[in-house]
């Protein structure tokens, strides 16, 4: 089943020239799709278009058959968990614990269930001892793990991760790999945008390379 489909999409930031040029693409949930390519090639922009965070200026993106132009961010967020390239951009509260519970409350979960899930995720990402810390005191890698834990709170069925290994040391990268493998086994679909070719190699079943806003390679 096609999970996300892009049909002839173009994108330009306001008053700029095009950065995505006539891309058509079908993403399947059973694949682990990776998007690679040089800096500035349009990976992040494409990721946001596929997640419905940005809307194409021409062409359409469909998530489970729904045009992202007709979907609110809330509707998209129920389907797709999106990890931003800069984790600070998606940390909303001042306290580590609150960050996870805040999002689970938005997801409408019972608080006891939310608390159990929070404990499990904070332990897994080795953040339990930071649970009462101010989020702005965390290191870059800790923020990255917190942001990831937070998007996993609502158990999205599909993840788009933009450079998830940035700022992680080798041990944390291995742990992230293990956790993603577990999610893959649970049937969570994934797009991983990454410069980290070893990490890509470990997870990808499909590799899409983009340059200057176009797909230059698509291999399985
Ligand atoms: N908010 C913005 N406003 C204007 N131009 C932007 C904006 N964000 C990105 N761009 C431009 O769009 C192009 C594609 O950027 P994008 O961030 O998608 O590339 P990328 O492949 O993710 O790069 P990187 O590997 O550095 O993360 C670049 O030329 C960039 O300068
Ligand atoms: Mg990027």
């Amino acid at each position: 089943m096609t999970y996300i489909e892009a049909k002839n999409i173009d994108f330009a930031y306001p008053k700029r020239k095009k950065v995505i040029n006539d891309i058509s693409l079908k993403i399947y949930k059973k694949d682990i799709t990776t998007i690679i390519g040089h800096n500035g090639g349009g990976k992040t922009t494409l990721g946001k278009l596929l997640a419905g965070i940005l809307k194409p200026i021409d062409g359409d993106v469909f998530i489970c058959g729904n045009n992202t132009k007709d979907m609110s961010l809330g509707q998209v967020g129920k389907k797709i968990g999106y990890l931003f390239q800069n984790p600070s951009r998606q940390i909303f509260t001042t306290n580590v614990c609150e960050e996870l519970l805040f999002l689970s409350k938005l997801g409408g979960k019972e608080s006891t269930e939310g608390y159990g899930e929070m404990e499990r995720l904070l332990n897994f990402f080795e953040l339990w001892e930071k649970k009462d810390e101010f989020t702005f005191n965390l290191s870059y890698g800790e923020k990255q793990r917190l942001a990831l834990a937070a998007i996993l709170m609502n158990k999205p069925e599909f993840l788009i991760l933009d450079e998830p290994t940035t700022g992680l040391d080798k041990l944390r990268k291995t742990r992230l790999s293990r956790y993603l493998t577990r999610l893959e086994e649970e049937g969570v679909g994934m797009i991983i945008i990454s410069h980290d070719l070893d990490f890509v190699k470990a997870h990808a079943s499909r590799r899409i390379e983009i340059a200057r806003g176009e797909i230059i390679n698509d291999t399985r």
Side-chain angles (χ1 to χ4, degrees):
M1 190 195 92
T2 306
Y3 197 77
I4 306 175
E5 179 168 15
K7 279 189 179 165
N8 303 100
I9 56 169
D10 287 334
F11 186 79
Y13 290 98
K15 302 197 178 90
R16 302 290 205 294
K17 59 183 200 311
K18 265 191 214 172
V19 290
I20 295 294
N21 206 343
D22 197 24
I23 285 185
S24 291
L25 187 62
K26 283 184 178 176
I27 303 286
Y28 304 98
K29 195 155 165 268
K30 64 173 169 44
D31 273 327
I32 304 302
T33 303
T34 55
I35 299 178
I36 58 172
H38 292 298
N39 288 132
K43 301 182 297 297
T44 294
T45 308
L46 179 61
K48 287 180 180 168
L49 286 162
L50 296 177
I53 295 167
L54 294 173
K55 318 282 175 179
I57 56 167
D58 218 336
D60 294 292
V61 174
F62 299 91
I63 297 173
C64 302
N66 301 306
N67 194 320
T68 57
K69 284 175 183 158
D70 305 325
M71 293 174 87
S72 67
L73 278 185
Q75 287 171 319
V76 173
K78 286 205 180 104
K79 299 223 152 271
I80 298 181
Y82 191 92
L83 181 73
F84 283 85
Q85 189 161 3
N86 178 353
S88 302
R89 287 199 48 191
Q90 66 193 109
I91 292 175
F92 301 107
T93 67
T94 50
N95 167 287
V96 167
C97 241
E98 252 325 287
E99 185 64 24
L100 269 63
L101 294 175
F102 158 76
L103 290 175
S104 93
K105 279 175 201 153
L106 282 186
K109 287 238 185 73
E110 289 290 317
S111 58
T112 44
E113 193 188 330
Y115 192 88
E117 189 64 4
M118 172 197 78
E119 193 174 343
R120 192 179 74 79
L121 284 164
L122 287 183
N123 272 315
F124 188 86
F125 286 107
E126 294 170 280
L127 288 168
W128 183 249
E129 60 186 50
K130 301 274 180 190
K131 74 180 167 60
D132 298 316
E133 189 56 87
F134 291 119
T135 48
F136 48 78
N137 285 339
L138 298 179
S139 73
Y140 187 89
E142 287 164 352
K143 281 185 187 150
Q144 184 88 336
R145 275 140 56 205
L146 177 64
L148 199 48
I151 65 170
L152 291 171
M153 279 293 286
N154 283 330
K155 299 193 168 69
E157 58 182 26
F158 199 95
L159 293 174
I160 299 181
L161 309 174
D162 194 353
E163 306 286 355
T165 62
T166 307
L168 302 191
D169 58 35
K170 204 156 169 265
L171 174 68
R172 268 34 174 274
K173 234 196 269 186
T174 309
R175 288 186 140 254
L176 175 66
S177 253
R178 227 189 298 156
Y179 198 72
L180 293 184
T181 303
R182 205 181 297 164
L183 291 172
E184 288 162 27
E185 286 164 2
E186 285 171 14
V188 176
M190 247 175 256
I191 293 176
I192 303 173
I193 299 169
S194 186
H195 276 111
D196 188 334
L197 290 181
D198 287 337
F199 193 78
V200 164
K201 220 182 275 170
H203 289 278
S205 62
R206 178 183 181 189
R207 264 206 238 203
I208 296 172
E209 185 174 1
I210 76 167
R212 292 171 300 279
E214 292 177 18
I215 295 174
I216 57 167
N217 227 319
D218 186 347
T219 51
R220 277 164 194 282

